Structures are given as C-alpha cells and as structure tokens.
Amino acid sequence: MSMSTRALREILQRAGNDTCVDCGAADPDWGSTSLGVFICLACSGIHRNIPDISKVKSLSLSHWEDHEVQFMAENGNERMKNKYEASVPVYYYKPSHKDCQVLKEQWIRAKYERKEFTESANKFTYEEAIRDGTLMKRGRDNGLFLSRRFVLSEREGTLKYFTKHDAKEPKAVIKVDSINATFQPDKIGHPNGLQITYLKDYSTRNIFLYHDSGKEIVDWFNSIRAVQLHYMKVAFPGATDAELVPKLTRNFLKEGYMEKTGPRQTEGFKKRWFTLDQRRLMYYKDPLDAFAKGEVFLGSKEHYSASAGLPAGTYCNGAWQHGITIVTPDRCFLFTCETEAEQLDWLKLFNDVMNAQMSPQEYTMEALFKHRH
C-alpha cells in the first residue's frame, strides 16, 4: 500500500467521510480532487460529466499526488457540505443512493455547478408564485405522450393542465395537498419519467409525465414540494418542518404483480399490478393505467391482519401458489405471489404498515374508504 493510499484511508476514517457526500451510500471509493469530497461509484460518474468543476479519482486504483491528498485532508465531506449545502430549502428533495439517476444528477449539479445552496440570499426557482410550462403527458386511452401545458399556482394551491396551449379551461385542476409525485423511469420508459398520483372524488388517479431536460422535471418536482409545504404549514400550524417534510411527496413502498380473486372468492385469480403507497394498496390491470381498479386500506393491527397462505378450500386456479390473506373489518382479500421471496417481502411491508401508529388524517381516510366502498 503506497503512502498516499494509506493517508487517504486515514482521512476516510474522519466523521462524514465514510458515506458518499451526495447520496449517502456507505464506503465511498472515489474522491473529487477539485472539490475535496468522497463519493461513491455511481455519483463519480455524474461528477465525471461536469469535468470543469469536478476531477475524480479512484481511492484504490488511481495515483494520488501529495498535494491532492493534502487537499482532501484539509476539506472532506463535512466541511464541503457546510459550504455547498449551506441553505438547502427544507422542501428540497435530497436523493439517497436508492433514488434514480436524474434526481442524483440534478442534486449534484445544483450544488456544485449552479451553486444554488451556497448563499442564503439565493432566490430559488422552486418558490416562484407560478410555474408555467410544458411537459410530455401520457394519453389515458392511447398511451401516446403529447405536449401539455401545466400551471402550478402557489396562491391557489393547484396544479392544472391544459390540452391546448391557448385553452381557457384546464382539463384537470389538481389540489396540491392531494398529490404524490414519484420518479418512475423504468415504468414510464424515460429516464426523466415522473408519476403524479392524486385523489379525485376519493379515488386514485395517475398521470405519467416526462421532460427531456432533467433539470426541468426535477425543478417541477421540487416546486410541487415547495407549494405543498406552504399549504401544510397553514393546515398544521403547530407542526415542525421535520414532521411535515415526510408528508410531502414519497416513494412507493413497493410495486409489482400479484394475482387476486374477487370478493366471493370463487372467481378465478387474475394478474394485477399492485402499488403500496403508505396505507393504500392499489391494484391496476396495467402498470400505466390512469385509474386503480380497486384499493385496500391497511389500518392498524387491532382490526387488520396479513398472513401467509389462503383459507382452506379456496378455489385456486391461478398459476401462482404463494398466497397472502389480508383481513379488514369489511372483507378478506386473497392474493398469490409468483415466488416465496415476493410473498415474504409483501407480507413484511403489510405488517410494518399495520404495526405503525395511525395519524388523525389516516383515521379520516379510513372513514372515507368505508363510506366509499
């Protein structure tokens, strides 16, 4: 082991240097010799795309000059976070290593290339009263992506979209406090694919969007979060930022195929696409459907349960054998999974959700569910 490698290993032991400065992945094995930060392999690829700002080297495979090692020692992750993340707005989504490429890339570019968060006096583009622009939206019936005008208004607390750019009336008016937005590049088939889910007349509606510019789609995402936080502060005046931020947008707990049977449990098992969003388990014929075929509310474990297997005597004609039974106050839901691993994964998540304390809003949602179904 060379002197420089040994010195780098010692610097890595310091607080903050043991995780990637940008996404939090453990044991970063790359460094930026121009920024003085330690990063993971995935983030190093993004840094390599901004070579005038960041010069990257492998901690183990590259040759390090003494002055570069010295620079890393003098800076490091904690110090550079204090500089480049000095004034990140509370609503801004900081991606983790599990998030998609576009979120990580725009976070890295915002920090080091655009230096958005170094000055506290910065005026953030996400906080403009109105955001008005075009996004590609997937048609509900034909599956084609067409350019649509979207308008996000902080004053009204709404996201509207128009089918024609000069249309007077919007096709839809979506209240921001009912929105969840989550990046879905694989499902949508575009690296900048964004799914917006909202409640309309108590039922779930999805729209699928993208923009060719990564900056543009991430700006829309963080603008939605900024407006949501504004409205949450009004709705929950006593709540802290730490309590409100997790209520902004969120990634789904899990998505995937299971088979399900109908309420009489004599119908055949049919393959459906399932999405678990906190306490709401929605199912669709197709992953890109606009409307859920149905939903199951998962309340607290006093009145709800999820277990492996199907009730004795269930007529099971499906291809899949790994059963799950969910019992709610109103009825039983029967599902089958393709593999045991999938079955155990879904079960763990269902039980985690049912074991969690319910919030007042979740009790309201449960009541609406009962009223609706």
Side-chain angles (χ1 to χ4, degrees):
M1 191 185 279
S2 69
M3 288 289 286
S4 62
T5 309
R6 197 172 297 126
L8 283 169
R9 293 277 164 228
E10 279 171 23
I11 301 165
L12 268 174
Q13 305 303 310
R14 295 183 194 166
N17 290 347
D18 56 344
T19 57
C20 172
V21 72
D22 296 321
C23 76
D27 305 319
D29 41 12
W30 289 75
S32 169
T33 61
S34 50
L35 294 169
V37 293
F38 294 95
I39 51 180
C40 69
L41 174 64
C43 289
S44 77
I46 298 169
H47 279 252
R48 204 176 276 114
N49 289 336
I50 37 176
D52 44 338
I53 287 161
S54 190
K55 304 269 187 287
V56 296
K57 281 190 171 183
S58 161
L59 300 183
S60 52
L61 303 173
S62 306
H63 171 71
W64 285 70
E65 302 293 345
D66 289 345
H67 68 88
E68 293 171 332
V69 175
Q70 184 63 31
F71 184 71
M72 299 303 280
E74 286 165 5
N75 292 294
N77 290 1
E78 294 284 307
R79 185 169 181 201
M80 291 297 101
K81 267 190 180 176
N82 289 339
K83 175 180 175 180
Y84 288 105
E85 299 179 27
S87 60
V88 182
V90 66
Y91 56 77
Y92 188 97
Y93 185 83
K94 293 185 186 182
S96 81
H97 63 98
K98 293 180 182 157
D99 280 302
C100 65
Q101 181 78 358
V102 69
L103 274 170
K104 289 191 276 200
E105 178 170 358
Q106 290 309 313
W107 166 233
I108 288 167
R109 287 184 181 274
K111 282 204 289 186
Y112 309 116
E113 188 177 44
R114 302 194 289 270
K115 296 191 172 64
E116 286 185 21
F117 314 123
T118 48
E119 302 290 323
S120 54
N122 255 0
K123 188 82 187 77
F124 294 111
T125 170
Y126 323 107
E127 291 170 24
E128 286 161 9
I130 296 262
R131 174 174 275 277
D132 187 331
T134 57
L135 297 168
M136 299 302 285
K137 178 189 171 291
R138 187 179 192 272
R140 196 171 95 194
D141 303 318
N142 58 14
L144 297 174
F145 280 90
L146 297 168
S147 173
R148 295 287 180 251
R149 179 183 171 213
F150 280 78
V151 179
L152 176 69
S153 163
E154 183 183 82
R155 190 173 58 80
E156 296 176 13
T158 57
L159 176 66
K160 299 175 183 171
Y161 73 88
F162 300 81
T163 45
K164 299 214 167 28
H165 285 250
D166 53 358
K168 297 281 178 282
E169 289 301 312
K171 179 83 167 73
V173 179
I174 306 167
K175 288 169 66 63
V176 287
D177 53 10
S178 79
I179 285 179
N180 183 25
T182 172
F183 278 90
Q184 295 281 8
D186 296 338
K187 193 158 83 173
I188 293 171
H190 191 285
N192 304 339
L194 182 70
Q195 177 175 350
I196 287 184
T197 301
Y198 61 98
L199 285 174
K200 184 171 191 249
D201 308 325
Y202 306 126
S203 68
T204 299
R205 172 90 164 85
N206 297 313
I207 51 177
F208 301 97
L209 310 167
Y210 72 82
H211 195 287
D212 283 325
S213 154
K215 179 181 186 299
E216 190 68 20
I217 199 77
V218 174
D219 284 359
W220 272 99
F221 176 68
N222 281 304
S223 296
I224 288 168
R225 288 173 60 90
V227 176
Q228 284 182 321
L229 185 65
H230 173 79
Y231 274 81
M232 291 236 177
K233 283 182 180 293
V234 175
F236 308 105
T240 63
D241 287 343
E243 289 168 319
L244 294 179
V245 168
K247 290 185 166 69
L248 303 181
T249 61
R250 62 207 167 265
N251 293 330
F252 297 139
L253 295 176
K254 184 173 170 71
E255 288 196 291
Y257 285 108
M258 290 192 283
E259 292 184 338
K260 77 173 286 294
T261 183
R264 290 194 302 281
Q265 297 168 11
T266 52
E267 304 91 332
F269 277 77
K270 292 192 176 77
K271 191 172 166 186
R272 296 287 180 250
W273 177 262
F274 284 81
T275 298
L276 181 60
D277 183 7
Q278 310 304 100
R279 290 192 181 273
R280 288 164 50 214
L281 177 66
M282 293 156 272
Y283 50 94
Y284 302 86
K285 224 172 169 168
D286 182 273
L288 293 170
D289 281 348
F291 296 99
K293 279 192 81 66
E295 347 194 344
V296 186
F297 182 84
L298 304 179
S300 69
K301 61 175 189 264
E302 284 76 40
H303 307 290
Y304 296 76
S305 68
S307 55
L310 301 174
T314 303
Y315 168 67
C316 192
N317 66 327
W320 295 353
Q321 302 305 315
H322 303 276
I324 293 178
T325 300
I326 291 183
V327 179
T328 77
D330 302 322
R331 62 172 270 206
C332 275
F333 291 88
L334 308 185
F335 310 118
T336 54
C337 303
E338 189 172 15
T339 64
E340 187 183 14
E342 276 290 282
Q343 175 200 40
L344 295 174
D345 199 30
W346 280 111
L347 270 174
K348 181 189 181 308
L349 289 165
F350 294 153
N351 283 303
D352 287 350
V353 167
M354 290 172 187
N355 287 329
Q357 189 81 38
M358 267 175 60
S359 69
Q361 296 90 312
E362 287 171 335
Y363 279 110
T364 307
M365 188 183 283
E366 183 182 33
L368 287 171
F369 253 82
K370 287 190 170 143
H371 167 73
R372 203 175 91 216
H373 297 291

